Amino acid sequence: MKKLLLLLLIAVAQQIAAQNTDNTIQANGIGPYKLGMKKAAIEKIWGKKIQLKNLLTEEGWQDTITVKYKNTDLQLYLQKSYADSAQFDIVLDGIKVFSPLFKTKAGVGVGDDKLKVINAYEFNSVSIWPEFEDDEFTRRSKTRAIMYVYFDKEGSSFVFHLLNKKVTAIEIGYAEEGD
C-alpha cells in the first residue's frame, strides 16, 4: 500500500511539473506574454506604464522594452497593428530571451548547439544565415549566425541567435517563410 501511494504521489508530481509552462518558450509566447497582445494587456501584466518612443512618431515602426519575468529579462518588441489606414493598436510582435532557464517545448535553450536545434525541428522549415560584420552587409560573419524555425500552423517562428554554433538568445515572432 505504501508503494502504491508513493507511486501515485510521484505520478501526480510529474503531472504538475509537466503542466508548468512558465519557463517554456512556445510558438505564441512566453508565460503570460503572447504574440498579438495589446499594449494595455502587457501593462497590466507588467504592472508599469509602457513609455513609447518610436511608435509615437509617423515613421516609427517598433519600440523595444525590457520586462522582468521569472527573475529574467525578456525583450518585448512592440509594433503598430492597423485596423484601417487611420486606426491602429500597439501590439506585441516579438519576444527575445537570453536565459538558459527558458527552453522550447522540444528542450532547446540558450547554450545548446546548432545540431540540437536542427534535430529538434527536423520536420519544420529551417533557414540558417550568417550575420554580417558591417553595416554595409558586405562581410559575412564566420562566428555569428541566425537560425529560423518556421511553424506553419501558428504563423510564427523561433529565431535562434548563434555564436560559434551555440545558441545565445531565442526570439519568437510572426514570420512568413522567406522573411
Side-chain angles (χ1 to χ4, degrees), residues 9 22 120 126 170 173:
L9 184 61
D22 288 352
V126 177
I170 303 171

Side-chain angles (χ1 to χ4, degrees), residues 88-158:
F88 64 87
D89 287 316
I90 305 295
V91 298
L92 182 57
D93 192 64
I95 306 169
K96 188 174 188 179
V97 64
F98 299 89
S99 172
L101 300 175
F102 289 78
K103 297 199 179 293
T104 67
K105 281 184 177 182
V108 178
V110 171
D112 288 331
D113 66 13
K114 178 171 77 172
L115 289 178
K116 183 171 183 177
V117 178
I118 291 170
N119 288 330
Y121 297 103
E122 67 181 318
F123 297 109
N124 292 74
S125 296
V126 177
S127 299
I128 305 172
W129 296 313
E131 288 195 35
F132 288 91
E133 298 291 340
D134 60 349
D135 293 336
E136 291 81 35
F137 304 105
T138 58
R139 283 192 350 255
R140 293 177 186 259
S141 177
K142 294 186 187 313
T143 59
R144 294 183 303 123
I146 297 174
M147 180 183 292
Y148 282 83
V149 175
Y150 301 96
F151 301 99
D152 298 331
K153 193 166 50 170
E154 292 85 357
S156 61
S157 66
F158 287 153

Side-chain angles (χ1 to χ4, degrees), residues 59-71:
E59 300 82 33
W61 65 276
Q62 180 174 299
D63 268 304
T64 303
I65 62 170
T66 301
V67 300
K68 279 274 190 219
Y69 176 68
K70 298 288 182 182
N71 295 322

Side-chain angles (χ1 to χ4, degrees), residues 23-103:
N23 288 13
T24 302
I25 303 169
Q26 299 179 11
N28 68 340
I30 297 175
Y33 296 103
K34 305 295 183 202
L35 296 179
M37 176 180 268
K38 292 184 181 178
K39 178 178 168 262
I42 296 168
E43 289 172 337
K44 186 175 181 180
I45 294 167
W46 189 29
K48 294 182 183 177
K49 203 87 166 112
I50 295 173
Q51 301 299 318
L52 298 174
K53 297 174 188 152
N54 301 319
L55 291 173
L56 298 178
T57 67
E58 182 96 12
E59 300 82 33
W61 65 276
Q62 180 174 299
D63 268 304
T64 303
I65 62 170
T66 301
V67 300
K68 279 274 190 219
Y69 176 68
K70 298 288 182 182
N71 295 322
T72 299
D73 286 340
L74 299 180
Q75 284 185 350
L76 304 183
Y77 302 118
L78 305 172
Q79 289 191 354
K80 294 176 183 176
S81 175
Y82 286 89
D84 57 42
S85 61
Q87 295 182 326
F88 64 87
D89 287 316
I90 305 295
V91 298
L92 182 57
D93 192 64
I95 306 169
K96 188 174 188 179
V97 64
F98 299 89
S99 172
L101 300 175
F102 289 78
K103 297 199 179 293

